[in-house]
Amino acid sequence: MRIEWVLLVIACLLEVGRAVGLKYTAGFTRLGSGFVTIVAMVLSVAMLGGAMKSLPVGTCYAVWVGVGAVGTAILGMVLFGEVASAGRLARLGLILAGIIGRKLAIPWPTTTARTPTRDEYDSSH
């Protein structure tokens, strides 16, 4: 697995941690869990940014949001007793299928445009 995808997977896991962590902060009235949630938030976005250096922005964002949504929903069912109806599970499966389809749509290896350096950017404007 390429490093960009590793960064994206880590970003996704941190995003799930961030979302679930928000539940434990009780509106940021609990400082310990609030701090952990903020750290997860910052690291998630940083890892997402690292993945976007060479993966398409649409792919990164779709995977990040989709895995975050599915992971958070599953943990909500497991940790907080949220409803796990067949319809809800089917819809989560559709989101997951979309994420997998988006990943499969990227040619291997990807050779997307890289972010220009400051000098390159300045000389083109």
Side-chain angles (χ1 to χ4, degrees):
M1 183 180 288
R2 294 181 28 207
I3 189 68
E4 298 85 5
W5 283 103
V6 172
L7 290 174
L8 186 56
V9 168
I10 293 169
C12 291
L13 295 174
L14 287 165
E15 178 62 8
V16 172
R18 188 249 348 138
V20 172
L22 282 172
K23 181 78 169 177
Y24 287 106
T25 67
F28 285 98
T29 58
R30 297 179 181 151
L31 295 180
S33 56
F35 177 76
V36 170
T37 299
I38 290 170
V39 168
M41 212 180 285
V42 170
L43 290 175
S44 177
V45 172
M47 296 290 135
L48 177 63
M52 284 184 180
K53 284 183 178 180
S54 59
L55 293 174
V57 66
T59 298
C60 287
Y61 190 71
V63 170
W64 185 66
V65 169
V67 170
V70 171
T72 302
I74 290 170
L75 284 179
M77 290 178 237
V78 172
L79 298 175
F80 308 118
E82 295 175 2
V83 176
S85 67
R88 185 171 189 200
L89 294 173
R91 287 186 293 276
L92 291 174
L94 289 172
I95 294 170
L96 193 56
I99 295 166
I100 293 167
R102 183 70 179 122
K103 165 65 173 102
L104 295 176
I106 299 173
W108 182 264
T110 57
T111 54
T112 59
R114 63 178 177 76
T115 304
T117 65
R118 182 175 180 91
D119 291 335
E120 292 169 337
Y121 178 80
D122 289 341
S123 68
S124 68
H125 288 87

